[in-house]
Amino acid sequence: MSTVLVIASSVLGVSSVSNQLIEETVTRLRSQDPQLRFVFRNLIRSPVPHLDEDAVTALRGAEPTNHAQLTALNLSNDLIAELQAADTIVIGAPMYNFGMPSTLKAWFDYVLRAGITFRYSESGPEGLVKGKRAIVILSRGGLYSEGTAQALDSQEPHLRNLLAFIGITDVTFIRAEKLAFGPEAREQAIDAARQQIGETIREACRRAA
Ligand SMILES: Cc1cc2nc3c(=O)[nH]c(=O)nc-3n(C[C@H](O)[C@H](O)[C@H](O)COP(=O)(O)O)c2cc1C
């Protein structure tokens, strides 16, 4: 049975655009394959803590010497196991101050582990999380996929780099942008993103058939 890991990181709950688009993605995936297993990780309801000295010590391979180190190591192991068990990863990523939410960055901080999700080889770094597909839903108030603000986008390139670094290169970005450009632009952006989600999932099913 295929597994989908769904990661939500918006603080806005039910009014969040990325949360609504995650729901759309889950509904469409489920209707294509009712046997799919879904694992939900909501980074607002269950935040991953920021790195601290104990966490970094444990995640960099030292034997845990206190409770905080053991807790950090266990959390990291659990998050990585969840990722490794998934065939598809759906990530909801709002733009906060030009980048991803710090809660989502904290998840990556616990998941990028040398020797486990990536390794350094003679030819450079190699991602060890292979054979996965990701759908990343970006929600933003402004327009960053074209025009003058493109250079300010620290959200999409950062997410692309982090995923590629651990070996996830089959990534589709769904962009809901111009959400703050008035009700009409907002509605259009959400509709376009919904359409893109439908096309992405239909195309993935065609490829898999
Ligand atoms: C704390 C915060 C910071 C934001 N920073 C930006 C930003 O830098 N650029 C932008 O275009 N929109 C920004 N926005 C707007 C959000 O990207 C927009 O509201 C989006 O819909 C949030 O995603 P969500 O609806 O899934 O929560 C920000 C919103 C919040 C709450």
Side-chain angles (χ1 to χ4, degrees):
M1 190 196 298
S2 289
T3 299
V4 183
L5 172 62
V6 182
I7 299 172
S9 64
S10 168
V11 292
L12 295 180
V14 286
S15 61
S16 150
V17 172
S18 61
N19 283 350
Q20 288 165 23
L21 295 174
I22 283 176
E23 219 175 286
E24 173 91 18
T25 308
V26 167
T27 303
R28 282 181 181 268
L29 284 168
R30 203 173 258 143
S31 74
Q32 292 285 345
D33 181 359
Q35 304 298 322
L36 280 178
R37 177 177 165 262
F38 288 87
V39 174
F40 294 92
R41 182 149 292 267
N42 186 315
L43 297 173
I44 303 306
R45 278 189 224 133
S46 308
V48 174
H50 282 146
L51 290 177
D52 59 15
E53 191 177 350
D54 281 321
V56 167
T57 304
L59 302 192
R60 298 184 103 192
E63 202 51 46
T65 57
N66 62 36
H67 182 70
Q69 291 178 10
L70 188 62
T71 303
L73 186 62
N74 286 341
L75 175 60
S76 172
N77 287 343
D78 288 350
L79 295 175
I80 291 171
E82 228 166 56
L83 177 65
Q84 297 280 21
D87 305 279
T88 302
I89 300 111
V90 177
I91 300 176
M95 179 184 275
Y96 293 162
N97 301 318
F98 304 110
M100 74 186 85
S102 58
T103 45
L104 182 55
K105 173 60 166 48
W107 180 86
F108 279 103
D109 288 338
Y110 274 71
V111 159
L112 268 67
R113 293 249 312 270
I116 299 177
T117 53
F118 70 92
R119 71 185 178 111
Y120 290 110
S121 67
E122 279 170 14
S123 54
E126 181 194 353
L128 300 175
V129 185
K130 305 244 167 108
K132 318 271 181 210
R133 178 176 68 119
I135 299 172
V136 181
I137 297 160
L138 305 172
S139 47
R140 306 127 160 213
L143 174 67
Y144 299 87
S145 60
E146 57 185 80
T148 48
Q150 230 173 354
L152 299 176
D153 181 4
S154 307
Q155 178 197 33
E156 181 172 333
H158 196 184
L159 283 161
R160 190 187 298 282
N161 290 339
L162 288 167
L163 290 167
F165 190 73
I166 56 174
I168 303 173
T169 52
D170 182 355
V171 184
T172 303
F173 284 93
I174 310 286
R175 302 185 196 98
E177 4 185 44
K178 292 168 74 173
L179 294 170
F181 283 30
E184 206 175 310
R186 183 181 173 88
E187 205 174 310
Q188 268 175 20
I190 296 171
D191 281 351
R194 283 188 197 281
Q195 218 169 327
Q196 205 196 335
I197 289 167
E199 282 159 17
T200 300
I201 291 169
R202 273 194 300 277
E203 177 56 28
C205 289
R206 264 198 297 276
R207 271 198 282 157

